[in-house]
Amino acid sequence: MRHEGISRARFLAGAGAVGVAAAVGGPTTAGSAAAGTGVRRGLTYRGVCYEVGDGESAATAWNAERMRHDMRALRHRLHANSVSVFGDGVERLSATASEAAERGLHVWLQPRLGDVPKRDILDHLAETGRHAERLRRQGAKVHLGVGCEFVLYVPGIVPGDNAVERVENMLKGNYDPQKMALRLRDFIGRAARTGRSVFHGPLTYGAAHEDEVDWSLFDIVGVNYYAYHKDKAAYVKELAPYQCWGKPVAITECGSCTYEGAPQDGGMGWHEAVDYTKEPPEIAPGLKRSERAQAAYLLEVFDVFESMNLHGALVYDFCSPEMPHLPDDPVHDLDIASYSLTKTIRQRPGDPESPWHWEPKQSFEALARHFERAARR
């Protein structure tokens, strides 16, 4: 998706702040095997989201060599034991998931094809699910996510020809909540049935926080969680209802942008931080870059997730190459508005076709230490 310089990745993060509700049945049981029975302490899976896609330029498009390098880094530098492989393009999804599995990583495979007819989205899901099933039969640890925040990606649930228009309409209230709820529930059900038809392992869906989903359709409750609270007890209070379904709960996304106050802006940090009406886009006046703020927030919420013995937690995201770090040009340092654990350094700073590499942020190093310690428990 290309529109006014806003990438699909940025809109994914933003959608977490849009509260939508579907009319569904309630939980069936209280408690959860992951809620602290004494069998296990802490998270089972700790990791990061990794996007595959055609990029916003040839330089930022997925390529196999870079992907293999990144999977090694995820396993051995970040000390993650899990990765969410998401995006579109069955070949890219399959190749990345296979490489991750060969590296010993647990894989959440989640197709995110959008802005095309619903039938095409379901066909793309089915083909991705078939690859997930092949990996599962070969002995890989793999979960299939049938999608993410369908209100954003799937045409016809809310008005808008693309994700940009849908987000704008939701923010302005230009939609019918009842019709949206019915349409969302219907498509989630269709996606769950499609996933079940081709994949026989654990199934989940990446719901926006505050969405109401019929989790009886899935094996794992999945939530994209960008909330901010001043104390840890408030996080626990907000997340505890998800455990009432009696199923494992996974934080399928969490994160923060890279400026002071970004955790408070949550899933809309990208929107608050950048003026996309300017060309090139500019960082909003008064924002101060802070890798420390991002790192501190992630450590805090991971402590909460560990204390609740959730099934898994995945940081959004590993790398955002379309948002380069420009240390000598803070007005255009788009990395301030990125959720990634790494910063993109271009050889030619103003050229989107420039070769680039990533370097770890403080959040990368902080989580690497946390993941390594947690794995030794």
Side-chain angles (χ1 to χ4, degrees):
M1 178 185 72
R2 299 181 178 88
H3 183 85
E4 298 181 357
I6 304 176
S7 74
R8 176 180 291 118
R10 273 165 254 168
F11 265 107
L12 172 65
V18 180
V20 294
V24 298
T28 56
T29 60
S32 156
T37 62
V39 175
R40 173 180 59 80
R41 301 300 301 174
L43 292 160
T44 299
Y45 297 116
R46 306 171 183 90
V48 67
C49 301
Y50 186 88
E51 183 172 17
V52 304
D54 56 7
E56 297 199 355
S57 70
T60 60
W62 180 94
N63 73 74
E65 182 178 1
R66 184 183 297 278
M67 177 272 291
R68 287 191 289 268
H69 171 270
D70 292 346
M71 291 301 116
R72 290 194 295 271
L74 287 175
R75 190 73 180 94
H76 301 294
R77 292 183 61 180
L78 186 59
H79 303 292
N81 67 358
S82 186
V83 60
S84 174
V85 177
F86 74 94
D88 56 24
V90 174
E91 290 185 2
R92 290 190 293 264
L93 287 162
S94 298
T96 306
S98 295
E99 180 69 22
E102 289 177 8
R103 295 280 168 190
L105 290 161
H106 165 269
V107 179
W108 308 75
L109 188 53
Q110 186 192 88
R112 291 185 190 173
L113 181 64
D115 300 338
V116 297
K118 293 178 181 178
R119 183 68 262 168
D120 292 350
I121 293 173
L122 294 174
D123 288 346
H124 183 262
L125 165 60
E127 191 59 34
T128 305
R130 291 185 186 99
H131 183 74
E133 178 63 12
R134 286 192 290 271
L135 285 178
R136 190 189 69 84
R137 291 184 177 182
Q138 292 166 7
K141 295 180 179 178
V142 57
H143 295 352
L144 177 65
V146 300
C148 167
E149 301 180 20
F150 286 145
V151 169
L152 177 66
Y153 287 107
V154 179
I157 297 177
V158 296
D161 292 334
N162 53 52
V164 175
E165 293 184 7
R166 290 178 210 118
V167 169
E168 291 174 349
N169 283 326
M170 286 188 287
L171 292 174
K172 295 175 182 177
N174 297 334
Y175 65 99
D176 183 322
Q178 291 184 335
K179 289 182 179 178
M180 180 196 70
L182 292 172
R183 292 165 181 166
L184 177 61
R185 184 181 186 184
D186 175 73
F187 195 77
I188 289 175
R190 293 173 63 184
R193 290 190 294 273
T194 299
R196 292 281 187 208
S197 71
V198 295
F199 180 71
H200 306 298
L203 201 70
T204 191
Y205 167 70
H209 175 51
E210 296 182 353
D211 276 5
E212 293 183 15
V213 176
D214 182 1
W215 291 111
S216 68
L217 300 172
F218 299 98
D219 304 297
I220 298 166
V221 176
V223 57
N224 296 348
Y225 189 71
Y226 291 89
Y228 171 81
H229 296 290
K230 291 183 179 180
D231 62 87
K232 294 181 179 180
Y235 290 109
V236 174
K237 181 179 180 180
E238 192 167 56
L239 289 170
Y242 290 106
Q243 294 180 314
C244 292
W245 285 89
K247 298 186 177 189
V249 176
I251 304 300
T252 40
E253 290 182 20
C254 64
S256 167
C257 293
T258 316
Y259 59 87
E260 291 182 358
Q264 290 89 326
D265 289 338
M268 290 301 287
W270 63 272
H271 185 268
E272 302 296 330
V274 183
D275 183 353
Y276 287 103
T277 67
K278 302 289 184 62
E279 185 53 47
E282 294 183 0
I283 297 298
L287 289 189
K288 183 178 179 181
R289 179 184 180 86
S290 177
E291 293 187 18
R292 181 179 176 276
Q294 183 192 45
Y297 172 76
L298 286 171
L299 287 178
E300 182 170 273
V301 294
F302 263 83
D303 281 346
V304 172
F305 305 152
E306 300 277 6
S307 73
M308 297 181 72
N309 301 318
L310 300 186
H311 186 60
L314 299 147
V315 179
Y316 182 85
D317 63 347
F318 180 72
C319 188
S320 298
E322 74 284 358
M323 303 178 76
H325 176 43
L326 302 175
D328 299 324
D329 185 7
V331 173
H332 299 107
D333 181 16
L334 293 184
D335 181 68
I336 288 175
S338 84
Y339 292 76
S340 63
L341 298 180
T342 63
K343 48 197 171 189
T344 296
I345 310 296
R346 289 177 177 170
Q347 289 184 16
R348 301 185 299 274
D351 182 2
E353 298 293 345
S354 170
W356 60 275
H357 69 279
W358 59 259
E359 296 178 0
K361 294 182 186 177
Q362 291 182 28
S363 55
F364 185 109
E365 304 291 2
L367 281 179
R369 291 190 292 271
H370 175 86
F371 290 173
E372 188 175 28
R373 287 195 301 269
R376 292 198 296 262
R377 290 176 188 163

